[in-house]
Amino acid sequence: MLIGEVARRSGVSARMLRHYESLGLLRPSGRTGSGYREYSGEDIRRIFHIESLRSLGLSLREIGRALDDPGFTPSVLVDDLIRQTRERIAAETELLTRLRRIDAAEPAGWEDVLQAVAFLQALGSKSAAARQRAALSSVDEVPVPVEALVEAVLRESDPNVAGALRWALARSGDGGTALLAQGLGSPVAATRERAVRSLAEMPGDEATARLREALAHPDVVVRGQAALALGTRGVADVVPVLIDMIVAGRNDTDAADALSMLAGDTATADRIATGLVGHLAHHTTEAPARVRLTQALADIPGSTASRALVELSHDGERAVALTATYLRRLREAR
């Protein structure tokens, strides 16, 4: 079979067949009387073998070894190809993500594109200072890819950089709220905590709704942070959760502060005081928790809290009685 027919049947160009021959990969079995290359059935099978190995990513040199070296074992080479392919896919995926984020920022011109690229590079810097500068400059200077800000804040471990990223995210609009809510489903506890802390600083009704949903989260840290945030937003439904945090000694000072912020009207203040007193009266509440509950009554206005402190000043537990007496005198002196 002559080279032109081989090219038509195999799909490999005549030029490529000659290249294979020049490298020693392919040797036509014969020549016609006119000197033209003549390929046998075995030659054609070798062509298909070459093309099959090329489709796996092998170089022509590696293909020659695979086909001609009887002692060649493919396992090491295949493992190396798998590694190279994974690295290539990761690099291409990173590039695609970067391009999508630049596109989402809706750049008006190449200057915006270049600024967005510089911003994304700074967010991925190993320098905490560079990441912080990028976050602080993002709002006014760069068309911000919100997805990049969310990803950055969910992975950031430096508290100063994380604070700057949350600040930038809160000022970038509400586009990041849904993405942060997705972060609450992460299998990594630190990521979930960063997500709820960031949601707590996001303005608007959607963020409040997402925080309400987080009150039912299986992660106790997420529930607690959501309750604290909602307390500062005036959502009185979180009173029981905040009281439970005081009992458990988990962010109890912050929980007590949130309760005092919620106690702005008489009805809510009485509800909070009644809840605190109810836990104080429960026989399973341990002494340290009873002290914390007593302390939480300090900034709750109204007669219910005042009467409770009077009664607790005669409590059988000395620490509770002393705390209540001190707080009652402070209230009387105001």
Side-chain angles (χ1 to χ4, degrees):
M1 191 180 298
L2 299 182
I3 190 169
E5 188 174 357
V6 171
R8 285 192 298 272
R9 293 194 178 189
S10 67
V12 182
S13 69
R15 182 178 179 181
M16 185 59 72
L17 291 173
R18 293 189 187 98
H19 181 56
Y20 289 165
E21 184 178 348
S22 70
L23 295 175
L25 273 177
L26 182 64
R27 299 176 185 86
S29 298
R31 296 270 179 173
T32 67
S34 303
Y36 292 109
R37 298 173 179 83
E38 193 168 33
Y39 295 85
S40 67
E42 186 63 32
D43 295 334
I44 293 172
R45 278 193 294 274
R46 185 176 176 91
I47 291 170
F48 283 115
H49 291 162
I50 293 170
E51 293 305 302
S52 295
L53 293 175
R54 279 189 67 195
S55 72
L56 296 179
L58 272 71
S59 68
L60 293 179
R61 182 179 180 181
E62 291 166 337
I63 290 170
R65 286 183 56 211
L67 294 178
D68 298 330
D69 184 356
F72 179 79
T73 55
S75 59
V76 174
L77 180 57
V78 170
D79 287 344
D80 191 49
L81 287 171
I82 291 172
R83 178 187 59 77
Q84 292 176 19
T85 303
R86 284 175 173 164
E87 290 175 353
R88 187 169 61 253
I89 290 172
E92 293 293 330
T93 301
E94 182 179 352
L95 175 60
L96 179 60
T97 299
R98 180 170 295 190
L99 288 170
R100 283 176 172 169
R101 287 173 178 167
I102 292 173
D103 183 57
E106 299 180 349
W110 283 112
E111 185 63 30
D112 287 345
V113 171
L114 294 173
Q115 284 185 331
V117 170
F119 171 69
L120 292 172
Q121 289 174 335
L123 278 187
S125 171
K126 293 182 180 180
S127 165
R131 297 196 303 274
Q132 186 174 21
R133 284 195 299 271
L136 294 175
S137 67
S138 65
V139 175
D140 298 322
E141 299 179 11
V142 182
V144 180
V146 175
E147 288 185 3
L149 279 176
V150 171
E151 181 181 301
V153 79
L154 292 182
R155 70 168 181 256
E156 185 58 61
S157 58
D158 185 286
N160 294 324
V161 180
L165 287 167
R166 290 195 298 269
W167 175 85
L169 194 55
R171 284 155 181 78
S172 65
D174 59 3
T177 303
L179 295 172
L180 289 171
Q182 291 177 16
L184 296 178
S186 170
V188 181
T191 301
R192 296 195 297 269
E193 182 174 1
R194 291 168 191 151
V196 73
R197 285 183 180 275
S198 299
L199 270 176
E201 296 187 25
M202 293 294 286
D205 295 338
E206 184 182 356
T208 300
R210 297 289 187 176
L211 289 167
R212 282 182 178 275
E213 293 172 2
L215 290 174
H217 199 283
D219 187 334
V220 66
V221 174
V222 171
R223 293 200 305 272
Q225 290 296 326
L228 290 173
L230 289 168
T232 62
R233 295 181 185 221
V235 179
D237 294 348
V238 299
V239 167
V241 181
L242 294 172
I243 293 176
D244 287 342
M245 291 172 66
I246 293 171
V247 173
R250 187 178 60 253
N251 294 107
D252 52 287
T253 301
D254 293 335
D257 289 342
L259 286 175
S260 67
M261 293 177 65
L262 287 169
D265 61 87
T266 302
T268 305
D270 288 346
R271 177 187 173 191
I272 293 170
T274 300
L276 293 169
V277 171
H279 279 77
L280 278 160
H282 204 282
H283 69 279
T284 60
T285 304
E286 298 180 352
R290 296 187 78 243
V291 173
R292 291 193 295 270
L293 289 164
T294 303
Q295 290 171 334
L297 285 165
D299 293 320
I300 307 302
S303 58
T304 303
S306 296
R307 287 196 302 270
L309 288 172
V310 171
E311 294 176 8
L312 288 168
S313 63
H314 303 290
D315 195 87
E317 290 178 11
R318 179 174 174 79
V320 172
L322 290 174
T323 301
T325 300
Y326 172 73
L327 295 176
R328 179 172 56 84
R329 288 174 179 170
L330 283 180
R331 289 171 76 95
E332 292 172 351
R334 290 173 184 170

